[in-house]
Amino acid sequence: MTPAQVRTIRVGEVRLRTSVRGSGRPLLLITGLGASLELAEPFEQELVARGRQVISFDAPGIGGSTPYRSPRRMPGLVRTVTGLLDALGLDRVDVFGVSLGGVVAQQLARQAPERVRGLVLAATAPGLGGMPGAPSALLALTTPRRYRDPEHYLQIAGRIYGGMARTDPRRLLRTVIGRVRPPSLAGYVGQLYAITGWSSMPWLHTLRQPTLVLAGDDDPIIPLVNGRILAWRIPNAALHVVRGGGHLFILERPAEMAGLVTGFLDGEPVPAMVGVGASRPTARPRGGTTAPR
């Protein structure tokens, strides 16, 4: 286990709880709605074991970070992210974004393309123009109660997350979900506000970063078609479908996913199989490349 250096960094009006773990080529990991640093720790450990330095942070109002005085739209949130990179002295990083973090990653790649070397988008969507998730799952996401109430999480986990959460929700609760710092209401509502009305569809075709899109085929929040749309619209993209993967597939299979991600970023072709029958890639769109140079 590689310990993280966790500190609070002021960026404009907010103080961001930030983690830096390991050494090697830096990878910025951006987590999803309401999720604090603790959520992705098993995945981070696997990335570090494969030679990556992993930087992650609590979004404003989430975990140990302070909220904005007034909520920001996605471009404003990305300005905070680039300010964090400036404070850490990082000119250029690989970026991994999961769920809402994948939305932030898309906006970052467009807004500050010179800062993003390679891009990995996991369990995420292009916003308006994509396929909405199951209504019952989206309704459950309007509140952060699942982070505060373990019994409520167990009742809804399979319905909102799919995958392992359908068959063994207690395992995810024990290993990751139960360790997350509950978000503040202001921070959670602020994230919902940031994504409301957002869409990357008009400009996905302008992204030039080599991109790996990861999508589970049992994800009630982000249907698989959204991954196909991203890979189709981004010129240099490959899509990898995680068979049986729910919304939390990076936590269900952290070693497998970390191997796939680091291999892609190191220039290896997307493999035909990850783990034992776990997943497979689709064909790469025309003009696609495999990884950052």
Side-chain angles (χ1 to χ4, degrees):
M1 297 285 287
T2 303
Q5 296 179 342
V6 179
R7 57 189 170 123
T8 300
I9 297 175
R10 177 172 286 280
V11 181
E13 69 182 61
V14 296
R15 296 190 302 275
L16 300 180
R17 178 171 170 252
T18 304
S19 165
V20 179
R21 191 190 305 268
S23 59
R25 201 165 95 188
L27 184 149
L28 177 67
L29 191 153
I30 310 175
T31 54
L33 179 64
S36 69
L37 294 173
E38 288 76 14
L39 183 71
E41 183 175 352
F43 182 59
E44 287 190 19
Q45 292 285 358
E46 295 293 344
L47 291 169
V48 168
R50 290 161 175 78
R52 284 296 187 278
Q53 180 185 66
V54 182
I55 302 97
S56 57
F57 63 96
D58 289 343
I62 306 300
S65 294
T66 60
Y68 292 120
R69 287 191 288 269
S70 58
R72 307 286 180 86
R73 290 293 192 181
M74 199 55 61
L77 180 55
V78 164
R79 283 192 290 272
T80 298
V81 175
T82 56
L84 177 63
L85 293 178
D86 291 340
L88 292 170
L90 295 170
D91 295 327
R92 200 162 181 246
V93 293
D94 294 319
V95 177
F96 179 101
V98 57
S99 192
L100 177 62
V103 168
V104 179
Q106 291 173 63
Q107 184 71 38
L108 177 62
R110 183 202 184 205
Q111 198 167 316
E114 73 283 356
R115 309 300 290 269
V116 180
R117 179 187 293 109
L119 185 62
V120 182
L121 304 174
T124 194
L128 291 179
M131 176 67 73
S136 61
L138 298 181
L139 181 63
L141 294 182
T142 60
T143 169
R145 183 182 172 189
R146 65 193 180 281
Y147 291 123
R148 303 179 184 277
D149 184 345
E151 289 305 315
H152 178 68
Y153 160 79
L154 290 173
Q155 291 172 7
I156 68 170
R159 186 169 79 246
I160 67 172
Y161 292 132
M164 184 185 291
R166 295 190 193 279
T167 57
D168 194 1
R170 291 186 182 277
R171 177 180 168 189
L172 288 174
L173 177 65
R174 182 178 65 253
T175 57
V176 285
I177 300 293
R179 302 173 58 226
V180 170
R181 291 193 185 188
S184 70
L185 183 58
Y188 196 84
V189 171
Q191 287 188 305
L192 292 175
Y193 173 79
I195 196 174
T196 300
W198 179 89
S199 177
S200 60
M201 288 295 285
W203 46 261
L204 280 172
H205 68 283
T206 70
L207 298 185
R208 292 294 177 260
Q209 296 88 354
T211 301
L212 175 63
V213 179
L214 301 173
D217 65 359
D218 184 23
D219 184 345
I221 298 173
I222 306 291
L224 173 57
V225 66
N226 292 285
R228 299 193 188 280
I229 291 170
L230 291 171
W232 167 59
R233 292 285 291 156
I234 299 172
N236 297 317
L239 170 64
H240 190 91
V241 178
V242 183
R243 295 301 177 189
H247 191 65
L248 303 178
F249 59 78
I250 68 165
L251 307 180
E252 298 169 3
R253 308 169 186 176
E256 294 174 356
M257 295 299 104
L260 180 63
V261 168
T262 54
F264 173 80
L265 294 172
D266 285 341
E268 299 172 9
V270 178
M273 196 68 68
V274 175
V276 183
S279 43
R280 68 172 178 81
T282 68
R284 183 172 297 108
R286 63 184 183 277
T289 61
T290 56
R293 295 290 181 247

PDB file of all heavy atoms in Angstrom, residues 112-137:
ATOM      1  N   ALA A 112      -8.645  23.390 -21.932  1.00  0.00           N
ATOM      2  CA  ALA A 112      -7.196  23.533 -21.730  1.00  0.00           C
ATOM      3  C   ALA A 112      -6.488  22.355 -22.389  1.00  0.00           C
ATOM      4  O   ALA A 112      -5.863  21.533 -21.716  1.00  0.00           O
ATOM      5  CB  ALA A 112      -6.866  23.604 -20.240  1.00  0.00           C
ATOM      6  N   PRO A 113      -6.592  22.230 -23.712  1.00  0.00           N
ATOM      7  CA  PRO A 113      -6.071  21.033 -24.393  1.00  0.00           C
ATOM      8  C   PRO A 113      -4.583  20.821 -24.198  1.00  0.00           C
ATOM      9  O   PRO A 113      -4.111  19.683 -24.219  1.00  0.00           O
ATOM     10  CB  PRO A 113      -6.416  21.289 -25.865  1.00  0.00           C
ATOM     11  CG  PRO A 113      -6.604  22.769 -25.976  1.00  0.00           C
ATOM     12  CD  PRO A 113      -7.175  23.200 -24.656  1.00  0.00           C
ATOM     13  N   GLU A 114      -3.842  21.912 -23.995  1.00  0.00           N
ATOM     14  CA  GLU A 114      -2.398  21.784 -23.815  1.00  0.00           C
ATOM     15  C   GLU A 114      -2.039  21.137 -22.489  1.00  0.00           C
ATOM     16  O   GLU A 114      -0.898  20.697 -22.301  1.00  0.00           O
ATOM     17  CB  GLU A 114      -1.751  23.180 -23.913  1.00  0.00           C
ATOM     18  CG  GLU A 114      -1.983  24.091 -22.716  1.00  0.00           C
ATOM     19  CD  GLU A 114      -3.376  24.710 -22.669  1.00  0.00           C
ATOM     20  OE1 GLU A 114      -4.165  24.486 -23.616  1.00  0.00           O
ATOM     21  OE2 GLU A 114      -3.674  25.406 -21.670  1.00  0.00           O
ATOM     22  N   ARG A 115      -2.999  21.030 -21.562  1.00  0.00           N
ATOM     23  CA  ARG A 115      -2.728  20.437 -20.253  1.00  0.00           C
ATOM     24  C   ARG A 115      -2.973  18.928 -20.233  1.00  0.00           C
ATOM     25  O   ARG A 115      -2.595  18.260 -19.279  1.00  0.00           O
ATOM     26  CB  ARG A 115      -3.606  21.091 -19.172  1.00  0.00           C
ATOM     27  CG  ARG A 115      -3.607  22.610 -19.113  1.00  0.00           C
ATOM     28  CD  ARG A 115      -2.227  23.186 -18.862  1.00  0.00           C
ATOM     29  NE  ARG A 115      -1.706  22.956 -17.535  1.00  0.00           N
ATOM     30  CZ  ARG A 115      -1.867  23.789 -16.502  1.00  0.00           C
ATOM     31  NH1 ARG A 115      -2.569  24.897 -16.649  1.00  0.00           N
ATOM     32  NH2 ARG A 115      -1.302  23.527 -15.343  1.00  0.00           N
ATOM     33  N   VAL A 116      -3.665  18.406 -21.254  1.00  0.00           N
ATOM     34  CA  VAL A 116      -4.110  17.011 -21.248  1.00  0.00           C
ATOM     35  C   VAL A 116      -3.324  16.206 -22.277  1.00  0.00           C
ATOM     36  O   VAL A 116      -3.462  16.415 -23.485  1.00  0.00           O
ATOM     37  CB  VAL A 116      -5.625  16.923 -21.532  1.00  0.00           C
ATOM     38  CG1 VAL A 116      -6.077  15.460 -21.526  1.00  0.00           C
ATOM     39  CG2 VAL A 116      -6.411  17.734 -20.508  1.00  0.00           C
ATOM     40  N   ARG A 117      -2.499  15.283 -21.799  1.00  0.00           N
ATOM     41  CA  ARG A 117      -1.704  14.441 -22.697  1.00  0.00           C
ATOM     42  C   ARG A 117      -2.550  13.318 -23.271  1.00  0.00           C
ATOM     43  O   ARG A 117      -2.668  13.141 -24.481  1.00  0.00           O
ATOM     44  CB  ARG A 117      -0.503  13.864 -21.928  1.00  0.00           C
ATOM     45  CG  ARG A 117       0.369  12.941 -22.785  1.00  0.00           C
ATOM     46  CD  ARG A 117       1.452  12.259 -21.972  1.00  0.00           C
ATOM     47  NE  ARG A 117       2.448  13.192 -21.459  1.00  0.00           N
ATOM     48  CZ  ARG A 117       2.581  13.537 -20.179  1.00  0.00           C
ATOM     49  NH1 ARG A 117       1.760  13.032 -19.278  1.00  0.00           N
ATOM     50  NH2 ARG A 117       3.522  14.368 -19.785  1.00  0.00           N
ATOM     51  N   GLY A 118      -3.131  12.509 -22.407  1.00  0.00           N
ATOM     52  CA  GLY A 118      -4.010  11.419 -22.813  1.00  0.00           C
ATOM     53  C   GLY A 118      -5.261  11.451 -21.965  1.00  0.00           C
ATOM     54  O   GLY A 118      -5.255  11.943 -20.830  1.00  0.00           O
ATOM     55  N   LEU A 119      -6.364  10.915 -22.497  1.00  0.00           N
ATOM     56  CA  LEU A 119      -7.662  11.052 -21.856  1.00  0.00           C
ATOM     57  C   LEU A 119      -8.316   9.683 -21.727  1.00  0.00           C
ATOM     58  O   LEU A 119      -8.366   8.923 -22.688  1.00  0.00           O
ATOM     59  CB  LEU A 119      -8.532  11.976 -22.716  1.00  0.00           C
ATOM     60  CG  LEU A 119      -9.909  12.387 -22.215  1.00  0.00           C
ATOM     61  CD1 LEU A 119      -9.809  13.177 -20.917  1.00  0.00           C
ATOM     62  CD2 LEU A 119     -10.617  13.217 -23.297  1.00  0.00           C
ATOM     63  N   VAL A 120      -8.811   9.386 -20.526  1.00  0.00           N
ATOM     64  CA  VAL A 120      -9.583   8.167 -20.297  1.00  0.00           C
ATOM     65  C   VAL A 120     -10.920   8.566 -19.688  1.00  0.00           C
ATOM     66  O   VAL A 120     -10.966   9.239 -18.654  1.00  0.00           O
ATOM     67  CB  VAL A 120      -8.861   7.176 -19.369  1.00  0.00           C
ATOM     68  CG1 VAL A 120      -9.690   5.901 -19.216  1.00  0.00           C
ATOM     69  CG2 VAL A 120      -7.472   6.838 -19.922  1.00  0.00           C
ATOM     70  N   LEU A 121     -12.002   8.166 -20.347  1.00  0.00           N
ATOM     71  CA  LEU A 121     -13.355   8.515 -19.925  1.00  0.00           C
ATOM     72  C   LEU A 121     -14.077   7.236 -19.523  1.00  0.00           C
ATOM     73  O   LEU A 121     -14.284   6.347 -20.353  1.00  0.00           O
ATOM     74  CB  LEU A 121     -14.105   9.210 -21.061  1.00  0.00           C
ATOM     75  CG  LEU A 121     -13.435  10.458 -21.639  1.00  0.00           C
ATOM     76  CD1 LEU A 121     -14.201  10.963 -22.862  1.00  0.00           C
ATOM     77  CD2 LEU A 121     -13.335  11.554 -20.577  1.00  0.00           C
ATOM     78  N   ALA A 122     -14.456   7.135 -18.246  1.00  0.00           N
ATOM     79  CA  ALA A 122     -15.053   5.910 -17.720  1.00  0.00           C
ATOM     80  C   ALA A 122     -16.470   6.163 -17.226  1.00  0.00           C
ATOM     81  O   ALA A 122     -16.706   7.119 -16.476  1.00  0.00           O
ATOM     82  CB  ALA A 122     -14.195   5.356 -16.571  1.00  0.00           C
ATOM     83  N   ALA A 123     -17.400   5.314 -17.637  1.00  0.00           N
ATOM     84  CA  ALA A 123     -18.780   5.363 -17.141  1.00  0.00           C
ATOM     85  C   ALA A 123     -19.345   6.779 -17.223  1.00  0.00           C
ATOM     86  O   ALA A 123     -19.917   7.294 -16.268  1.00  0.00           O
ATOM     87  CB  ALA A 123     -18.847   4.842 -15.696  1.00  0.00           C
ATOM     88  N   THR A 124     -19.176   7.401 -18.384  1.00  0.00           N
ATOM     89  CA  THR A 124     -19.589   8.789 -18.525  1.00  0.00           C
ATOM     90  C   THR A 124     -20.308   9.006 -19.846  1.00  0.00           C
ATOM     91  O   THR A 124     -20.450   8.084 -20.652  1.00  0.00           O
ATOM     92  CB  THR A 124     -18.381   9.732 -18.361  1.00  0.00           C
ATOM     93  OG1 THR A 124     -18.841  11.063 -18.175  1.00  0.00           O
ATOM     94  CG2 THR A 124     -17.450   9.666 -19.566  1.00  0.00           C
ATOM     95  N   ALA A 125     -20.765  10.238 -20.064  1.00  0.00           N
ATOM     96  CA  ALA A 125     -21.652  10.532 -21.185  1.00  0.00           C
ATOM     97  C   ALA A 125     -21.368  11.921 -21.738  1.00  0.00           C
ATOM     98  O   ALA A 125     -20.679  12.722 -21.100  1.00  0.00           O
ATOM     99  CB  ALA A 125     -23.109  10.439 -20.726  1.00  0.00           C
ATOM    100  N   PRO A 126     -21.927  12.235 -22.916  1.00  0.00           N
ATOM    101  CA  PRO A 126     -21.742  13.570 -23.494  1.00  0.00           C
ATOM    102  C   PRO A 126     -22.768  14.587 -23.032  1.00  0.00           C
ATOM    103  O   PRO A 126     -22.862  15.665 -23.609  1.00  0.00           O
ATOM    104  CB  PRO A 126     -21.880  13.306 -24.991  1.00  0.00           C
ATOM    105  CG  PRO A 126     -22.867  12.186 -25.070  1.00  0.00           C
ATOM    106  CD  PRO A 126     -22.565  11.308 -23.881  1.00  0.00           C
ATOM    107  N   GLY A 127     -23.544  14.274 -21.999  1.00  0.00           N
ATOM    108  CA  GLY A 127     -24.557  15.219 -21.532  1.00  0.00           C
ATOM    109  C   GLY A 127     -25.755  15.241 -22.454  1.00  0.00           C
ATOM    110  O   GLY A 127     -26.172  14.203 -22.985  1.00  0.00           O
ATOM    111  N   LEU A 128     -26.332  16.413 -22.663  1.00  0.00           N
ATOM    112  CA  LEU A 128     -27.481  16.526 -23.555  1.00  0.00           C
ATOM    113  C   LEU A 128     -27.109  16.012 -24.943  1.00  0.00           C
ATOM    114  O   LEU A 128     -26.072  16.367 -25.493  1.00  0.00           O
ATOM    115  CB  LEU A 128     -27.944  17.978 -23.642  1.00  0.00           C
ATOM    116  CG  LEU A 128     -28.573  18.583 -22.381  1.00  0.00           C
ATOM    117  CD1 LEU A 128     -28.961  20.034 -22.639  1.00  0.00           C
ATOM    118  CD2 LEU A 128     -29.776  17.776 -21.927  1.00  0.00           C
ATOM    119  N   GLY A 129     -27.943  15.187 -25.479  1.00  0.00           N
ATOM    120  CA  GLY A 129     -27.652  14.532 -26.747  1.00  0.00           C
ATOM    121  C   GLY A 129     -27.275  13.081 -26.560  1.00  0.00           C
ATOM    122  O   GLY A 129     -27.281  12.305 -27.522  1.00  0.00           O
ATOM    123  N   GLY A 130     -26.938  12.706 -25.320  1.00  0.00           N
ATOM    124  CA  GLY A 130     -26.684  11.315 -24.994  1.00  0.00           C
ATOM    125  C   GLY A 130     -27.971  10.627 -24.547  1.00  0.00           C
ATOM    126  O   GLY A 130     -29.055  11.215 -24.568  1.00  0.00           O
ATOM    127  N   MET A 131     -27.830   9.377 -24.124  1.00  0.00           N
ATOM    128  CA  MET A 131     -28.987   8.604 -23.673  1.00  0.00           C
ATOM    129  C   MET A 131     -29.100   8.685 -22.154  1.00  0.00           C
ATOM    130  O   MET A 131     -28.177   8.295 -21.451  1.00  0.00           O
ATOM    131  CB  MET A 131     -28.828   7.137 -24.093  1.00  0.00           C
ATOM    132  CG  MET A 131     -29.938   6.230 -23.577  1.00  0.00           C
ATOM    133  SD  MET A 131     -31.552   6.595 -24.308  1.00  0.00           S
ATOM    134  CE  MET A 131     -31.305   5.946 -25.963  1.00  0.00           C
ATOM    135  N   PRO A 132     -30.216   9.209 -21.623  1.00  0.00           N
ATOM    136  CA  PRO A 132     -30.370   9.286 -20.174  1.00  0.00           C
ATOM    137  C   PRO A 132     -30.402   7.898 -19.545  1.00  0.00           C
ATOM    138  O   PRO A 132     -30.752   6.902 -20.188  1.00  0.00           O
ATOM    139  CB  PRO A 132     -31.716  10.001 -19.998  1.00  0.00           C
ATOM    140  CG  PRO A 132     -32.008  10.639 -21.315  1.00  0.00           C
ATOM    141  CD  PRO A 132     -31.359   9.774 -22.348  1.00  0.00           C
ATOM    142  N   GLY A 133     -30.054   7.846 -18.265  1.00  0.00           N
ATOM    143  CA  GLY A 133     -30.110   6.605 -17.528  1.00  0.00           C
ATOM    144  C   GLY A 133     -31.528   6.237 -17.126  1.00  0.00           C
ATOM    145  O   GLY A 133     -32.493   6.942 -17.446  1.00  0.00           O
ATOM    146  N   ALA A 134     -31.637   5.128 -16.401  1.00  0.00           N
ATOM    147  CA  ALA A 134     -32.941   4.681 -15.925  1.00  0.00           C
ATOM    148  C   ALA A 134     -33.536   5.741 -14.994  1.00  0.00           C
ATOM    149  O   ALA A 134     -32.839   6.251 -14.112  1.00  0.00           O
ATOM    150  CB  ALA A 134     -32.796   3.360 -15.183  1.00  0.00           C
ATOM    151  N   PRO A 135     -34.803   6.088 -15.163  1.00  0.00           N
ATOM    152  CA  PRO A 135     -35.403   7.135 -14.329  1.00  0.00           C
ATOM    153  C   PRO A 135     -35.262   6.882 -12.838  1.00  0.00           C
ATOM    154  O   PRO A 135     -35.001   7.813 -12.062  1.00  0.00           O
ATOM    155  CB  PRO A 135     -36.869   7.128 -14.771  1.00  0.00           C
ATOM    156  CG  PRO A 135     -36.835   6.634 -16.180  1.00  0.00           C
ATOM    157  CD  PRO A 135     -35.725   5.623 -16.213  1.00  0.00           C
ATOM    158  N   SER A 136     -35.414   5.624 -12.402  1.00  0.00           N
ATOM    159  CA  SER A 136     -35.308   5.329 -10.976  1.00  0.00           C
ATOM    160  C   SER A 136     -33.892   5.573 -10.466  1.00  0.00           C
ATOM    161  O   SER A 136     -33.700   6.031  -9.333  1.00  0.00           O
ATOM    162  CB  SER A 136     -35.714   3.878 -10.704  1.00  0.00           C
ATOM    163  OG  SER A 136     -34.861   2.979 -11.387  1.00  0.00           O
ATOM    164  N   ALA A 137     -32.889   5.292 -11.297  1.00  0.00           N
ATOM    165  CA  ALA A 137     -31.505   5.538 -10.902  1.00  0.00           C
ATOM    166  C   ALA A 137     -31.221   7.031 -10.829  1.00  0.00           C
ATOM    167  O   ALA A 137     -30.593   7.518  -9.881  1.00  0.00           O
ATOM    168  CB  ALA A 137     -30.551   4.861 -11.884  1.00  0.00           C
TER     169      ALA A 137
END
